[in-house]
Amino acid sequence: MRKEKWIGAVAAAMAGIGLLAGCGSPAASDAYEQERAPVEEVQEAEPEASGEQAPEPDGQLSAPEEETPEPAEEPEEVLPQEPAKTAEELVEEEVDGILAEMTLEEKVLQLFMITPEALTGYETVTAAGDHTRESILQYPVGGIIYFTKNLREPGQVREMLENTRRYYEEAGYPAPFLGIDEEGGKVARIGKQAAFGVEQIGDMRAVGEQGDPEEAARVGTVIGSYLSELGFTLDFAPVADVLTDPDNQVIGARSFGTDPALVSDLALEEAKALEEAGIWAVLKHYPGHGATKSDSHDGYAYTDKTLEQLMEAELVPFRAGIQEGISFIMAAHISVPEITGDEVPCSLSPYMITDVLRGEMGFDGIVVTDALNMGAVSRQYSSGDAAVAALNAGVDLLLMPVDFQGAYEGVLAAVEEGVLSQEQIEESVRRILRVKCAAEESRTSDDRE
């Protein structure tokens, strides 16, 4: 995937995503030549060598003169050449440069992924015109997510996304993630609309029942190809939930099944195929919705499993994704009282994000919340409090707060008051920019080839 196993194939596939403006080359200066008169060296002619020495004036032979040996030429010093920089090093240099130029406000805005309606204030957005451009200049958020109401037909979607991307580029901002929920089955914003004329992919349960990794890869290729062709860059898929409770209705047929190993294999095959098609994949919903007792869309949702039990089942696909270098994991609003001792959702839990997901499981990619407008969060927290709690927990990307303005201002106030540190903000922004710059570096490398 993204680290080593996918850095070649996947990065090459992302070549079509133009994300950041390149650096200009310095202009060449004018040169001039200075004429010099040639200097001619004149040497006296030496007598030809013979076996006899010329006599001195008094008729005596002089002692033979010793020849002065010419000094040996010192060898030129060969300076060691610096090894060529790796793709990762080039990306880090690019990230450092971007971060150095960003204001605190711009850094905080990179942490949000919102709808075009939240960005512009319009009720329904189906185009990106002057008002979208002005909104981007004011709030260059890290990403925008689109839903069925934003998507009418292929030409309209291509123009809307291309304009949005262009507005970011013209303003000199890192390009946004342009995202969508396109799982297949009942969650398919594009696939369920006849106007797009794409293959309708069924539920992942059916793929799981086949147990064929090649079919999961084909699903990823089909979905990734039509999303990439329309201009999207990120898909909130695949579902990596293990359906450990067959009566669970939250995930149900969206899951590949009940076997952790099978779910791992199929989810990772789909994710790899999505990324090879040019679409960033997001494994969801950590730590697993497969055994929850209720729906976090509506309100409090929890599982009574211990961490050891989760490690044996629900967390298996996420651990496998981390080992393969997945770039995104979505944190769900599931409470795990048997683990944390409280009812705080995992998306806001420092123990579940920083200690378990990052510390114990070793994930250093982008953690994105599930939608913050869901009842499990919005009924308990203000938008500002939820955003601050998520960032303090170790999350990087805040998805769809109820009140974007309130969440944005809440994060800025938390930094000013010392509740959040600038180092925390920069660490998350760095993770986001690494992903964006990696795609730009692969595009540049492709151009050089």
Side-chain angles (χ1 to χ4, degrees):
M1 291 182 183
R2 179 58 38 202
K3 291 181 182 173
E4 294 177 359
K5 297 189 180 182
W6 288 6
I7 192 67
V10 176
M14 302 299 289
I17 308 173
L19 293 175
L20 300 172
C23 299
S25 301
S29 60
D30 294 332
Y32 64 90
E33 294 183 357
Q34 182 177 9
E35 295 184 0
R36 293 189 304 171
V39 177
E40 184 177 332
E41 294 186 1
V42 181
Q43 295 182 340
E44 293 185 4
E46 301 231 354
E48 292 185 6
S50 66
E52 299 180 359
Q53 290 179 290
E56 291 289 334
D58 58 0
Q60 300 296 320
L61 292 176
S62 62
E65 294 182 1
E66 293 184 3
E67 294 184 2
T68 304
E70 295 184 3
E73 292 185 3
E74 294 185 6
E76 293 183 5
E77 183 180 0
V78 179
L79 298 176
Q81 290 186 343
E82 291 186 6
K85 291 181 180 177
T86 65
E88 289 83 358
E89 289 171 334
L90 292 172
V91 166
E92 286 302 318
E93 284 187 358
E94 186 75 11
V95 169
D96 289 340
I98 295 169
L99 269 173
E101 297 295 324
M102 295 177 81
T103 65
L104 173 62
E105 290 76 12
E106 289 169 344
K107 291 172 186 174
V108 169
L109 286 166
Q110 277 295 303
L111 309 179
F112 286 91
M113 189 160 186
I114 61 177
T115 65
E117 288 77 20
L119 176 67
T120 62
Y122 282 17
E123 184 175 346
T124 301
V125 174
T126 56
D130 290 341
H131 189 67
T132 296
R133 180 195 283 111
E134 293 167 4
S135 300
I136 288 168
L137 289 173
Q138 189 173 6
Y139 301 110
V141 291
I144 303 174
I145 181 171
Y146 298 86
F147 288 84
T148 301
K149 69 178 182 178
N150 307 121
L151 314 168
R152 293 181 174 176
E153 50 86 18
Q156 169 259 330
V157 173
R158 288 191 200 97
E159 182 178 5
M160 178 174 62
L161 299 187
E162 176 55 36
N163 283 352
T164 300
R165 190 164 42 245
R166 179 165 51 84
Y167 298 153
Y168 273 81
E169 183 178 356
E170 289 173 351
Y173 295 127
F177 296 124
L178 300 176
I180 189 171
D181 281 301
E182 193 75 8
E183 301 172 8
K186 68 177 184 180
V187 182
R189 318 300 186 200
I190 297 290
K192 291 174 69 174
Q193 296 194 62
F196 289 92
V198 300
E199 178 182 345
Q200 295 188 31
I201 300 296
D203 290 322
M204 294 305 102
R205 172 184 288 171
V207 178
E209 288 172 349
Q210 294 182 45
D212 184 2
E214 290 187 3
E215 177 59 17
R218 191 189 74 82
V219 166
T221 298
V222 170
I223 293 175
S225 296
Y226 68 68
L227 290 183
S228 181
E229 195 272 335
L230 288 169
F232 290 98
T233 61
L234 182 148
D235 186 11
F236 288 102
V239 171
D241 299 297
V242 181
L243 201 61
T244 51
D245 180 358
D247 295 328
N248 177 289
Q249 299 300 313
V250 180
I251 297 300
R254 296 165 65 191
S255 167
F256 286 108
T258 61
D259 179 7
L262 178 66
V263 172
S264 291
D265 291 344
L266 301 185
L268 295 186
E269 285 298 321
E270 182 186 351
K272 181 177 178 180
L274 281 168
E275 297 207 352
E276 287 176 344
I279 299 295
W280 296 108
V282 181
L283 284 186
K284 64 184 187 183
H285 308 79
Y286 169 85
H289 247 302
T292 52
K293 304 301 182 184
S294 53
D295 190 346
S296 57
H297 286 85
D298 301 324
Y300 177 66
Y302 75 99
T303 177
D304 55 11
K305 288 197 171 187
T306 66
L307 182 59
E308 290 73 19
Q309 289 172 324
L310 290 179
M311 285 291 186
E312 292 172 358
E314 284 86 350
L315 292 178
V316 170
F318 297 99
R319 189 167 55 222
I322 292 166
Q323 291 170 350
E324 291 291 327
I326 193 74
S327 294
F328 291 82
I329 288 178
M330 174 180 279
H333 308 313
I334 304 167
S335 298
V336 285
E338 293 298 318
I339 300 173
T340 61
D342 56 37
E343 297 182 350
V344 174
C346 286
S347 55
L348 311 184
S349 169
Y351 181 76
M352 291 303 295
I353 302 299
T354 297
D355 293 354
V356 177
L357 182 58
R358 294 211 187 277
E360 190 167 342
M361 297 176 69
F363 184 58
D364 193 35
I366 296 171
V367 179
V368 54
T369 67
D370 206 342
L372 290 168
N373 61 5
M374 292 166 62
V377 171
S378 63
R379 293 183 181 180
Q380 301 294 326
Y381 303 86
S382 70
S383 293
D385 288 345
V388 172
L391 294 174
N392 258 330
V395 163
D396 305 300
L397 196 56
L398 305 166
L399 181 64
M400 294 171 57
V402 173
D403 176 8
F404 162 58
Q405 288 287 339
Y408 168 57
E409 291 169 4
V411 173
L412 285 176
V415 175
E416 292 171 1
E417 295 164 6
V419 177
L420 283 170
S421 69
Q422 290 216 35
E423 289 74 20
Q424 285 174 282
I425 300 297
E426 289 197 2
E427 186 176 8
S428 289
V429 176
R430 182 175 291 279
R431 290 191 184 104
I432 291 166
L433 292 179
R434 276 192 195 117
V435 172
K436 294 182 175 184
C437 291
E440 171 63 11
E441 174 59 26
S442 69
R443 183 191 69 80
T444 306
S445 297
D446 252 25
D447 290 345
R448 288 195 295 265
E449 292 174 4

